[in-house]
Amino acid sequence: MTHPIVPITVAYGDGIGPEIMRATLKVLEAAGAQIAPETIEIGEKVYLSGQTNGIQASSWGSLRRTKVFLKAPITTPQGGGYKSLNVSMRKALGLYANIRPCISYAPFVKTKHPIMDLVIVRENEEDLYAGIEHRQTEDVYQCLKLITRPGCERIVRYAFEYAKQQNRKRVTCFVKDNIMKLTDGLFHQIFKDIAAQYPEIQHDSMIVDIGAARVADTPEDFDVLVMPNLYGDIISDVAAQIAGSVGMAGSANIGDQCAMFEAIHGSAPDISGKNIANPSALLHGAIQMLSHIGQNDIAEKIHHAWLVTLEQGLHTADIYKQGQSNTLLGTVEFADAVIANLGQSPKQLKAPSYEGSKPLKLPVVGYKKPCKKELVGIDIFLQWQDGVPKKLGDKLVNYGTAQLELKLITNRGVKVWPEGFPETYCVDHWRCRFMSPTMQLSFDEVLNVQSRLHEAGFDVVKTENLYNFNGEPGYAAVHG
Ligand code: NAD
């Protein structure tokens, strides 16, 4: 099959990045991939030159032009001020879906889980990765967890459409909505709503902690998993490692306009420059890329040759086991072995077919009908050093008004006034909930109470408006 040459952007990254990228591109070239790589510089050198986001402004031009990025891992320098390039890249290019297949290759690669073939569909832009963090008091720091309706709808629909295209049978959702009832609750509700539109695909949900334990114990029970960003980040590393090695799992970051392909692992500085890194994870990212740009036959040819190489026991150090492997190979030699096997198919391992794989086209997420939104109260956060809740409550109650009454005070989310427990440990950060008795409140009244508190010497560090949406509280109830 002939293909037009597709320009792609390539970054060699840091640590083992250049070694595994050279090996990967060598395999792609030998397999006849029709690509025209444009190289950009990202990572440590760029960070240390003073560019705090790790990428030169000029490199975005190449990414916008090619819309396809094959990226080796990079090192984010330690210390404040440096923004994670991976996170910025995913958000700037709108790469909302992160697809991470984790497969075991028993009996050729040692694993406790010989039957494992799962795909983690990780939400890629939201959650705690919004990077909105504040220090609010001497003792308290916060990180905002943002979960949006369009974000949930896109990733959950992606998971079901992916399952449908790849003939997978089941989609499982991991959330923690027993605790985060609004944010993870939204993700879960949208999962249930969208699942109902795919009756041919089974679905179920688990609380993420037991879900993670089950992935680590019985990964053969899972097929496609969909979850918010942080859980997906952690559980995909666990899944890749228990399949055999983090050095074998690739990852596709997919958006409506652009896509980025990479290894799931980092720059592995501990083994860099030694020609011992496994290039397989990046090679798998590249295979996903070839399928994305319509070169399914080449993707399949490389994937099959790679499986043959595993079957031959030609292994890099991370998966080499005496008695089980045949020959220990370096990065370069492993790539050469894959090249030598191009055109062959595996005898025992399942040979994947890429026929029919193509980028998923998802419907644009529509706007919802606006809700009736009513301001009904306010949470005012104060820094206050005297740790006795009763003292604060007794003082503060005088600063409410007829339209906005102090109802309760919490410390780290636990109610401490009225009638708290003397055992509760309190820090210098107090959430004071004022509610409208009539559930009808003007914003002027909110400002009035804040001003009165400020004038009385209270240190107001933050406020959150409390709204009802169509009569339903848009704020969490209080513990205790
Ligand atoms: P890591 O994934 O780089 O390494 C973890 C362990 O796995 C190390 O022992 C390493 O030797 C091994 N390993 C990783 N890839 C391997 C491969 N291909 N072959 C054989 N062994 C391999 O994680 P880390 O050490 O926590 O992070 C190192 C750096 O990578 C940090 O600066 C981190 O910020 C960065 N990082 C980058 C990305 C990315 O660019 N996508 C992702 C994660 C971490």
Side-chain angles (χ1 to χ4, degrees):
M1 195 180 203
T2 54
H3 300 287
I5 293 178
V6 178
I8 62 164
T9 303
V10 163
Y12 283 74
D14 301 314
I16 59 170
E19 298 165 66
I20 60 174
M21 181 59 84
R22 279 193 297 271
T24 296
L25 290 176
K26 193 173 175 191
V27 175
L28 263 58
E29 192 186 350
Q34 298 298 296
I35 52 171
E38 295 179 8
T39 302
I40 61 167
E41 183 86 60
I42 56 166
E44 204 170 18
K45 258 196 252 151
V46 182
Y47 279 116
L48 298 177
S49 74
Q51 195 78 34
T52 53
N53 61 1
I55 178 167
Q56 303 287 2
S58 55
S59 299
W60 290 106
S62 171
L63 291 166
R64 287 218 183 81
R65 197 169 44 250
T66 67
K67 302 190 189 320
V68 180
F69 186 22
L70 182 62
K71 177 188 147 294
I74 57 156
T75 303
T76 309
Q78 299 281 317
Y82 299 113
K83 286 294 232 186
S84 160
L85 174 63
N86 294 318
V87 175
S88 323
M89 194 75 88
R90 289 167 188 158
K91 287 197 276 199
L93 299 177
L95 310 177
Y96 65 90
N98 191 330
I99 316 305
R100 299 183 154 191
C102 298
I103 302 162
S104 60
Y105 304 97
F108 303 101
V109 177
K110 193 171 163 30
T111 165
K112 291 181 190 133
H113 304 287
I115 307 163
M116 174 173 175
D117 181 1
L118 59 83
V119 179
I120 291 172
V121 177
R122 164 188 170 193
E123 197 290 317
N124 220 16
E125 297 177 286
E126 306 193 338
D127 199 352
L128 292 160
Y129 292 68
I132 305 175
E133 291 190 290
H134 303 96
R135 180 174 180 177
Q136 295 189 329
T137 68
E138 299 207 5
D139 290 341
V140 175
Y141 299 70
Q142 83 164 11
C143 177
L144 269 190
K145 170 166 168 130
L146 288 182
I147 299 283
T148 72
R149 176 173 290 280
C152 297
E153 286 186 10
R154 292 210 294 179
I155 195 66
V156 171
R157 189 164 299 284
Y158 193 98
F160 279 95
E161 286 294 323
Y162 179 88
K164 199 163 125 183
Q165 187 193 66
Q166 300 293 320
N167 290 319
R168 289 191 172 254
K169 303 285 174 277
R170 186 166 139 233
V171 181
T172 303
C173 168
F174 281 5
V175 276
K176 186 84 184 166
D177 60 341
N178 53 333
I179 304 296
M180 286 162 278
K181 293 173 198 270
L182 292 187
T183 48
D184 282 24
L186 176 69
F187 195 99
H188 195 182
Q189 186 56 50
I190 289 173
F191 175 78
K192 288 190 269 192
D193 293 346
I194 291 182
Q197 298 164 23
Y198 295 83
E200 71 281 20
I201 297 170
Q202 298 163 38
H203 69 274
D204 60 347
S205 311
M206 288 183 194
I207 300 291
V208 61
D209 32 6
I210 187 63
R214 295 241 169 97
V215 166
D217 187 47
T218 49
E220 64 275 18
D221 289 348
F222 293 94
D223 195 346
V224 175
L225 296 104
V226 64
M227 60 195 84
N229 205 342
L230 180 64
Y231 313 145
D233 191 1
I234 296 168
I235 292 170
S236 56
D237 260 37
V238 171
Q241 185 66 30
I242 63 171
S245 164
V246 285
M248 292 201 298
S251 144
N253 299 263
I254 305 289
D256 287 335
Q257 297 172 49
C258 302
M260 175 170 89
F261 301 87
E262 57 183 345
I264 77 158
H265 60 73
S267 57
D270 52 335
I271 56 167
S272 113
K274 297 180 178 159
N275 190 40
I276 57 175
N278 189 343
S280 300
L282 186 60
L283 187 63
H284 274 285
I287 291 170
Q288 287 174 293
M289 177 191 78
L290 289 172
S291 174
H292 177 84
I293 61 175
Q295 300 184 16
N296 279 332
D297 51 336
I298 320 258
E300 197 168 298
K301 182 156 103 179
I302 296 173
H303 201 154
H304 288 195
W306 179 81
L307 290 166
V308 173
T309 311
L310 291 190
E311 284 185 345
Q312 291 167 339
L314 306 177
H315 295 167
T316 45
D318 55 323
I319 57 171
Y320 181 86
K321 288 280 170 301
Q322 211 143 25
Q324 188 170 17
S325 305
N326 190 1
T327 313
L328 175 62
L329 296 182
T331 312
V332 172
E333 294 71 25
F334 182 82
D336 289 341
V338 175
I339 291 170
N341 286 326
L342 287 167
Q344 293 190 54
S345 290
K347 295 193 175 54
Q348 266 178 266
L349 293 169
K350 190 175 144 208
S353 164
Y354 282 81
E355 207 189 320
S357 279
K358 57 180 181 205
L360 295 171
K361 283 268 169 270
L362 263 54
V364 176
V365 175
Y367 285 100
K368 271 189 61 173
K369 224 171 93 196
C371 293
K372 185 170 175 224
K373 181 178 167 193
E374 294 161 301
L375 185 62
V376 296
I378 183 166
D379 278 347
I380 297 185
F381 292 77
L382 302 178
Q383 174 169 342
W384 193 65
Q385 305 297 350
D386 183 342
V388 182
K390 185 167 181 325
K391 275 198 207 165
L392 179 63
D394 290 351
K395 243 174 129 175
L396 212 55
V397 81
N398 300 317
Y399 293 91
T401 64
Q403 289 97 56
L404 207 44
E405 294 173 354
L406 179 67
K407 283 287 171 206
L408 53 90
I409 301 174
T410 70
N411 197 290
R412 292 190 297 170
V414 178
K415 191 178 79 155
V416 291
W417 182 96
E419 292 160 21
F421 278 29
E423 293 84 359
T424 305
Y425 181 78
C426 292
V427 293
D428 61 354
H429 183 262
W430 306 80
R431 187 257 303 260
C432 310
R433 177 162 287 181
F434 292 80
M435 296 297 295
S436 155
T438 58
M439 299 303 248
Q440 282 181 334
L441 185 61
S442 76
F443 189 65
D444 286 344
E445 192 58 17
V446 165
L447 294 177
N448 178 30
V449 170
Q450 287 187 59
S451 297
R452 281 156 59 87
L453 288 171
H454 175 70
E455 278 156 22
F458 286 102
D459 186 359
V460 177
V461 295
K462 158 183 153 129
T463 61
E464 288 282 353
N465 293 345
L466 307 180
Y467 294 107
N468 279 359
F469 291 84
N470 290 341
E472 291 289 320
Y475 47 94
V478 164
H479 296 286

